[in-house]
Amino acid sequence: MEQEKIEQVPRTDDVLNPPSQRVVLLRRIAGPLLSVGMLVLALWGLRQLARHVTYHEIREYVASVSRTRLLLAIVLTTLGFGVMSLYDRFGLQAIGKSLPWRRVTLISFISYAFSNAVGMSFLVSGSIRYRFYVQNGLSTAEIAKLVLYCTLSFWLGLLALTGVTLLIVPLPAGLPLSDWRITVAVALTAIPLAWILGGFIRKPISLWRWRVLLPRPLSALRQVLVGALDWWLAAAVMYVLMPDSLHAGFGHFLAIFVIAQIVGLISHVPGGLGVFETVMLAGFHATDDKHLAAPILGALAMFRVVYYLMPLCAATMLVLQREARGLRQQSLWSPWFNSLLPSFFAGLTLVSGAVLLFSGATRALPERMAILRDVLPLSVLEVSHLLASVIGMLLLILARGLQRRLDAAYWVTLVLLVAGAVLSLLKGIDYEEASLLGLLALALAPAHRLFYRRASLFSTNFSVGWIVAILAVFGCATWLVMFSYKHVDYSNSLWWEFSFHEGGAPRALRALVGAAAAGLLFALAALIKPQRLRRAPPSETELERALPLIRNFHSAQAHLALMGDKRLLFDADGKAFLMYDTEGRSWVTMGDPVGEDDDARRELVWSFLEQCERAGGWPVFYQVSPEDLDMYLEVGMNLLKIGEEARVRLEDFNLDGKSKKTLRGTINKLGRDGLRLEIVPADAVAPLLPRLKAISDAWLRDKNAREKRFSLGAFDPRYLVRTPMALVWQGEQIVAFANLFLCETREEASLDLMRFVPEGPSGLMDFLFVELMQWAKREGYRWFNLGMAPLAGLTSRRQAPLWNRFGALVFGRGERFYNFQGLQRYKDKFDPEWEPRYMAVPGGIALPMILANVASLISGGLTGVVRR
């Protein structure tokens, strides 16, 4: 019955507008390229500033740091992460929510451990908080408010600490900010001060299109103090690790530290890598004093290990333990866990690859090389060093395959991790690296069932961000080679020098070239492999290929593919397909993938996702069923309930009872008036089309409607001759018709295009439905599908997600635009079983545009969205 209210959908172009595609491409690459550009500049500046420092001097300082200092730094780091948990605890209080403090502390620690190390704290910590807080009953809007509260506290505290410190502590002469110290300090302090004082204004403040009610002064002050304490403890961790020769008090150190952190955050380089170090060296005038520069660089390296790497490893272990426990318990949230674990393994594999590349770029410990000289031939050492770096590059590439759940990537990664661990021992007794690789292999080994895809790694789409990450790791390894061996004179003969003690530089150069060659060979193989391009509407051959899959599928909705207005995407073996169309940047599928092979259907979801990524589109799975939700959760999609579908269990259907009295009277009356139902097979439909066309045109004129497409059929002769037809006769005149969707498995029957003569008898549609259901019952069908009631079943409770509350509001008050409640009431009189239907959408700020695109697609353009 939906077609009585939905307008025709104009067909979209097969090819995206080239200017739009260029704009989309620029948007996708601008951010990553900016980060890489900043990283390159920072590494170049760091190399210039530390031109007199050697890698050996830095390592000597790291080895000389006492265990007491190291332990104190770890304690201060622990206190710092404890303070960070106050962001979430106070944020939850601000939005009127309460959760156990241990759970809040765990979520806070995990989110900050990852965001500190990866950078882009708003996006990274926000997405992690969403994953965990949604499991604890928070709505999307509440999580957004919490993330905004934490981000504001983070920045307000940093600005307050920086401003106050600059007011109190003079900067060393020669720094760019020295002459503007007071001005900058006042400006930075004014921002958190205005935030606190603004709380005395108890009326909302208009900021562009938003109205903001500032927190009360005491709450705002608490927010700023927590942020300032957080940054003060971070500075204390670094100060403990600094050399005694620094000759600078904590106030002087704090001023330079917070300035360096602000510059690192603004750069958008992950963790401020390179940028933070460059500012710190310049701030302490250590560029020309290698006796000071080397200890500072050593302290910076230890700071990153203690404050970034150790919490990251601990958070990763906590997440893996939590997700594994959820999988064993087969809890409600296990699909979320399934979607997270491959990404964690991919991240750890990326880190392992970077470790092997960085290890290959630096000098091995002399005492370990002395041991190897006595037990190994030189050739084994050289080959091991080269292969370890090649494996490092391959692990960077395979990490993408693990994220995409590729079976081949799983097995190759497992083998390379073990091989890398062995080679790490052979090239320099690097048992630390071997332990890391071995532990990852042990953790990955039992997780094979998470990596089920049989697709080729060469066909996997490498996003711009992923390519940039690989290039950034390789660039850092190149910089590390140049830094570690900058005092070695380069010559052509250097490449062919082989020695246990003096061959470090040649080995590093050969390893770097080997890793680059492995990466280039993979890129070349991926470029040579033909890309799957966007497909045109299906040909007759493709429709014939899809027809057996449609007829044997459990859902009659699959017959919509026969309309021919939606593109078809088949899996490699032709065991399943999905249908989709595009509107704007949204690529929208109609229903779940069609086919009986679950593996093929699951692979199609991934293939569709990758195709959208290549074109810069947003993947959307429209009107999907609860049975297949795990397929969309596993690829990281979010779910929105869009309504409920009415299905009548035919074995229980009858017209008995008091509740059916009106319906029973209508059917009996129309039967006495001479109405009868006829089922016409598909091969006999063509001769009837001229008579049916007249009925259809009259119905369209009477309803002042246009033809529909995408989620409903249209009067298209090519479409109608592919399905059986139900005719309602009154004497020798056809008064109504509907084309039928019939599953050969007898699982489900349904109808699509329904038309009747405007002057037909009252209750004509009731007669058609009842007679069809009774016929389907006699033919042995289990279910009769009445279609979806949009927005039905959405709740408006305060605890419900924002989308549900908005949908419930439209359902209750949107009769001006669409007969939502009337449609549900009409279907409800047949006593159906209501089953929820969902839309799977990508996360992020694109959701409003996606909803607009989908509404336009199913309603015949934006004008159809607002027309009744």
Side-chain angles (χ1 to χ4, degrees), residues 725-866:
M725 187 72 68
L727 305 177
V728 178
W729 295 84
Q730 188 173 30
E732 298 301 318
Q733 181 185 2
I734 301 174
V735 294
F737 71 89
N739 70 313
L740 301 180
F741 293 165
L742 303 175
C743 299
E744 291 186 353
T745 60
R746 297 294 196 271
E747 178 67 19
E748 189 174 77
S750 186
L751 74 171
D752 179 34
L753 186 73
M754 295 178 291
R755 301 287 159 86
F756 56 88
V757 294
E759 66 276 9
S762 176
L764 185 54
M765 285 295 98
D766 291 348
F767 181 86
L768 175 61
F769 274 113
V770 170
E771 289 295 310
L772 270 178
M773 283 186 270
Q774 290 179 337
W775 171 84
K777 181 178 180 179
R778 292 193 300 270
E779 293 294 318
Y781 288 89
R782 293 186 59 211
W783 297 92
F784 193 89
N785 195 322
L786 296 174
M788 191 178 72
L791 303 183
L794 275 66
T795 59
S796 59
R797 291 192 298 268
R798 183 177 180 181
Q799 293 79 11
L802 180 62
W803 164 255
N804 283 35
R805 284 183 278 168
F806 174 74
L809 176 67
V810 174
F811 182 80
R813 304 185 183 182
E815 295 296 294
R816 163 68 180 81
F817 306 104
Y818 191 97
N819 190 20
F820 293 105
Q821 297 184 60
L823 181 61
Q824 185 191 34
R825 284 194 298 266
Y826 180 85
K827 295 180 179 182
D828 217 20
K829 66 183 176 181
F830 299 103
D831 290 337
E833 296 182 16
W834 292 95
E835 187 176 85
R837 288 293 178 265
Y838 299 88
M839 180 165 60
V841 296
I845 60 176
L847 181 59
M849 282 300 301
I850 290 173
L851 294 177
N853 288 339
V854 172
S856 177
L857 186 62
I858 67 177
S859 302
L862 292 177
T863 56
V865 177
V866 298

Side-chain angles (χ1 to χ4, degrees), residues 141-361:
E142 289 167 341
I143 297 172
K145 292 177 183 177
L146 176 62
V147 172
L148 182 60
Y149 179 94
C150 295
T151 304
L152 280 172
S153 303
F154 177 89
W155 276 101
L156 288 170
L158 177 58
L159 296 178
L161 184 64
T162 306
V164 172
T165 303
L166 291 179
L167 281 173
I168 298 173
V169 181
L171 289 174
L175 285 183
L177 287 178
S178 298
D179 298 333
W180 297 87
R181 178 177 65 88
I182 300 299
T183 303
V184 172
V186 170
L188 293 180
T189 308
I191 297 174
L193 188 60
W195 180 260
I196 296 170
L197 297 178
F200 288 105
I201 304 173
R202 300 316 302 157
K203 293 182 180 180
I205 299 174
S206 296
L207 295 175
W208 193 33
R209 294 181 299 177
W210 294 280
R211 290 170 62 82
V212 180
L213 180 63
L214 297 179
R216 294 188 179 276
L218 287 179
S219 298
L221 178 61
R222 181 178 64 180
Q223 196 175 357
V224 173
L225 290 178
V226 168
L229 180 59
D230 168 26
W231 284 106
W232 187 91
L233 286 169
V237 174
M238 179 74 192
Y239 187 72
V240 166
L241 298 172
M242 292 294 279
D244 295 332
S245 57
L246 191 63
H247 300 304
F250 183 72
H252 177 196
F253 169 82
L254 181 61
I256 297 174
F257 177 87
V258 289
I259 292 172
Q261 286 287 359
I262 290 176
V263 175
L265 289 169
I266 293 174
S267 72
H268 287 291
V269 176
L273 183 63
V275 180
F276 176 66
E277 284 81 359
T278 301
V279 177
M280 289 293 288
L281 281 178
F284 289 108
H285 296 296
T287 54
D288 297 321
D289 185 358
K290 71 174 184 178
H291 298 295
L292 184 58
I296 290 178
L297 288 173
L300 287 165
M302 295 185 70
F303 174 72
R304 289 201 173 274
V305 171
V306 172
Y307 198 78
Y308 292 102
L309 186 57
M310 290 177 63
L312 177 63
C313 291
T316 301
M317 293 300 106
L318 285 172
V319 170
L320 291 176
Q321 180 186 12
R322 175 187 171 90
E323 311 308 281
R325 185 170 62 251
L327 285 172
R328 286 198 305 269
Q329 295 172 352
Q330 291 297 310
S331 68
L332 174 65
W333 298 102
S334 60
W336 291 99
F337 300 155
N338 282 340
S339 68
L340 284 175
L341 281 173
S343 297
F344 277 111
F345 281 124
L348 292 175
T349 302
L350 189 72
V351 170
S352 299
V355 167
L356 284 175
L357 282 176
F358 295 161
S359 175

Side-chain angles (χ1 to χ4, degrees), residues 513-533:
V513 171
L520 289 174
L521 287 174
F522 178 85
L524 182 62
L527 288 173
I528 292 174
K529 188 175 181 67
Q531 294 283 333
R532 178 179 287 164
L533 301 177

Side-chain angles (χ1 to χ4, degrees), residues 37 195 227 284 389 393 565 580 622 626 689 702 708 734 768 798:
W195 180 260
F284 289 108
S389 293
M393 174 58 74
D565 64 328
Y580 70 97
Y622 178 72
L689 289 179
D702 182 66
K708 284 78 54 183
I734 301 174
L768 175 61
R798 183 177 180 181

